[in-house]
Amino acid sequence: MGEDEIMALRRRKLETIRSKGIDPYPARARRTHTTKAAVELLVRSPDAHEIVWVAGRVTAMRRMGRAAFLDIRDGSGRIQAYFKQESLGVEAYERLLHTVDLGDFLGVEGSLFRTKTAEPTIEATSFTILAKALRAPPEKWHGLQDVEVRYRQRYLDLIANPEVRETFVTRSRIIQRIRRFMDERGYLEVETPILQSTAGGAAARPFTTYHNALGRQQFLRISLELHLKRLVVGGFDKVYEIGRIFRNEGVSTKYNPEFTMLESYEAYADYTVLMEMVEEMVSTIAGVAVEPSWGRGKIIDELLTVHVEPHLRQPTFLVDYPVELSPLAKRKTESPHLVERFELFIAGREVANAYSELNDPVDQRERLLQQSRLRAAGDDEAETADEDFLIALEHGMPPAAGLGIGIDRLVMALTGLTSIREVILFPALREREA
RNA sequence: GGGCCCGUAGCUCAGCGGUAGAGCUCCGGACUUUUAAUCCGGGAGUCGUGGGUUCGAAUCCCACCGGGCCCUCCA
């Protein structure tokens, strides 16, 4: 049977449900327990035959004549429901067999027990359709393997592949821990403009858009840096932002045109402070206990051993870059052609970039002008001079250290995944032709 | 930007010059503790798109579209 026929069949079932006066898409679901809570209740009271209502998606149906087993899955987990004609009644049992398909959402009322194989089960006394699905879910054995479909229809990927779901739970927890880490260190979380009239702070091509009411071209930000530094000028000594950055570059397993960046700025600190902070942050996030005796690099090294595939390259700090590559970083006093900057590489990918911030407004103006000259000479990835930012610096910025961490790559490093598309829910892909 | 590989049923794949196959899904039947349920029967396809070669193309050739991997690289 082709896809069209399957859908037609499901539509007919939908009409059958309606013809019985049942709403196939009711506004509310009665639910006393998540599937997980129901299993926990059964563990606490094994012989009580507690009555529960659960709700979830039907992910398996094993029909056996006058009885059937259905797997019901919700966000917390899964529980099996046992439908017996004898306890459900002939009418309701027939309705189950003839109108319910894999993928439908069902509310189930019944009492908790264990089958002879000890499987936690609800013996259903009634059920309600909560949402009829018109398309069939991916097949149960092999799940969904086609990478393209996995990305284009991520919801199917999440349904079919539990480890994918787990990756995004992990990603969320990593970001959560970063926030807690920064908050506990006294950083203030802020939000700065995504739409900007000049996109500065990084060497990258921006996306352009147009503001109708103002009648002018705008850019999507390519970094968070220049606005966060304005806030340091304004007296916020420790600020950070976790936000989406947009760069008009290629699409691949390493690059996505929009990605998530953490940037932080701390007044009265230099880049050596940040090096320690990055190590501590990454250790904290990965949940590895930090031994005080471990030297720099050792902690990250331990992380890799524990969390990352052994064949991946060792985490490495690269320290002190040529001034030409770092127009926003402070020169080293003893060697002014270098800047106080480090980058952290994990598994061969740049994860963090940090430097002591340039706060000399004259030097900053000169260096941005130099970038403008490069741009005029055809380098379209040279930095744009942001005059408003230069004016802010001229009002005086305290010595400060700034950090940027590519969240997507950090998640890759900590999960051992090698494609950025595996850690971004909806990665950029080319349009599929009609 | 360069190289290699892939695209066949809803899903996972086989077929690689002679009229399109399997398992799962789906449909019908049997079955009241199954859990990849089982057993019997039955459907299901513009073989990515467009051209070409050939008596004949899913199969060979070319172009295009989409995807994957490696190299270069913007994080």
Side-chain angles (χ1 to χ4, degrees), chain A residues 314-365:
Chain A
Q314 296 296 303
T316 314
F317 279 116
L318 291 187
V319 183
D320 296 342
Y321 283 67
V323 65
E324 295 79 15
L325 294 178
S326 317
L328 302 166
K330 203 178 193 68
R331 294 177 198 268
K332 290 180 79 76
T333 320
E334 63 275 21
S335 41
H337 61 288
L338 293 176
V339 293
E340 296 192 355
R341 174 181 174 188
F342 73 84
E343 290 192 310
L344 171 65
F345 287 79
I346 302 181
R349 293 185 197 87
E350 183 187 333
V351 169
N353 178 23
Y355 37 85
S356 301
E357 299 297 337
L358 177 57
N359 63 340
D360 174 343
V362 176
D363 190 9
Q364 181 67 86
R365 185 174 287 277

Side-chain angles (χ1 to χ4, degrees), chain A residues 210-229:
Chain A
Y210 189 77
H211 192 303
N212 290 333
L214 299 184
R216 70 172 191 224
Q217 178 175 246
Q218 298 239 282
F219 303 95
L220 273 60
R221 66 183 175 191
I222 57 173
S223 88
L224 310 173
E225 178 155 0
L226 301 185
H227 282 84
L228 292 178
K229 282 192 200 169

